[in-house]
Amino acid sequence: MKKILLIILIIIIILSINVLAVDIDIGCEAIDRNSQKDTGTDINKTNPANASGIITSVEIYARAAMTNVKVATFYVVDGNNLSTRDYEFIGDMSIGYHQFNVNLNVVAGDYLGIYHSEYIEVDTSGGDGIWYYNDNDMIPCTNQAFSYYPSYLTSLYGTGTIGEEEAINSLFFGTNF
């Protein structure tokens, strides 16, 4: 009888985890915006990751064709100093909207960044700002000082799923993701 109850409990937990799977979102909608930002590494401060897990999809809106594009998750070391948590090479992109499958580790509170050649779509107001390093590929980096544009946001967005540990904690301890 105990084995049957244990099996039922395990099934309930597995089903609950699937039901509780919360999408992670990070960054800003990848759309045609009012301005552009030139070559460099840019990190959206607007909309940090709402949970820990894996970013599985990244959306980018390019104002011009880009080469050697990379995307990354970043965390703040101190002030405007950031480090890369994980990154992936995307490659070349044409003008417009693109969606890519990725596998990026992310921790709640991390930020999404991109290295791009040429121009990416940005808004110069309405956001929490971007950290940037003009002209240089700073992916990956460790405790790197970035400059900051207040109010900016970049057309760079990611989604994913929370990790199993976070789902179990949510189930048993009511952790809010």
Side-chain angles (χ1 to χ4, degrees):
M1 183 67 171
K2 288 182 183 180
K3 289 182 182 180
I4 293 172
L5 290 175
L6 181 58
I7 291 171
I8 292 171
L9 179 61
I10 291 171
I11 291 170
I12 290 171
I13 290 172
I14 291 170
L15 292 174
S16 296
I17 289 172
N18 289 335
V19 170
L20 287 174
V22 175
D23 286 335
I24 297 173
D25 81 315
I26 185 172
C28 303
E29 187 178 11
I31 59 172
D32 187 9
R33 296 189 181 275
N34 70 4
S35 194
Q36 61 192 17
K37 165 84 176 44
D38 59 357
T39 303
T41 304
D42 301 323
I43 305 162
N44 270 327
K45 189 173 181 184
T46 302
N47 193 29
N50 60 328
S52 300
I54 302 293
I55 300 300
T56 56
S57 178
V58 170
E59 301 171 27
I60 303 166
Y61 201 105
R63 171 120 348 157
M66 298 184 204
T67 58
N68 299 317
V69 175
K70 294 181 191 175
V71 292
T73 50
F74 288 86
Y75 61 93
V76 174
V77 176
D78 184 46
N80 290 330
N81 284 34
L82 290 93
S83 290
T84 307
R85 182 172 310 283
D86 199 4
Y87 72 96
E88 282 206 18
F89 179 76
I90 298 294
D92 298 344
M93 295 175 48
S94 59
I95 295 171
Y97 172 85
H98 299 274
Q99 183 175 16
F100 301 96
N101 293 326
V102 294
N103 186 11
L104 293 170
N105 292 314
V106 65
V107 172
D110 281 359
Y111 302 93
L112 189 60
I114 185 172
Y115 166 74
H116 57 94
S117 65
E118 299 306 321
Y119 294 99
I120 191 167
E121 294 284 336
V122 299
D123 279 334
T124 58
S125 63
D128 294 331
I130 62 169
W131 290 284
Y132 68 95
Y133 203 104
N134 281 342
D135 300 323
N136 291 306
D137 178 357
M138 301 310 294
I139 296 176
C141 68
T142 302
N143 199 19
Q144 178 63 50
F146 283 82
S147 298
Y148 180 72
Y149 282 136
S151 301
Y152 272 53
L153 54 90
T154 302
S155 283
L156 174 66
Y157 182 69
T159 57
T161 57
I162 64 172
E164 290 180 26
E165 181 178 333
E166 289 80 9
I168 290 170
N169 286 338
S170 177
L171 176 63
F172 288 110
F173 305 112
T175 305
N176 188 7
F177 292 97

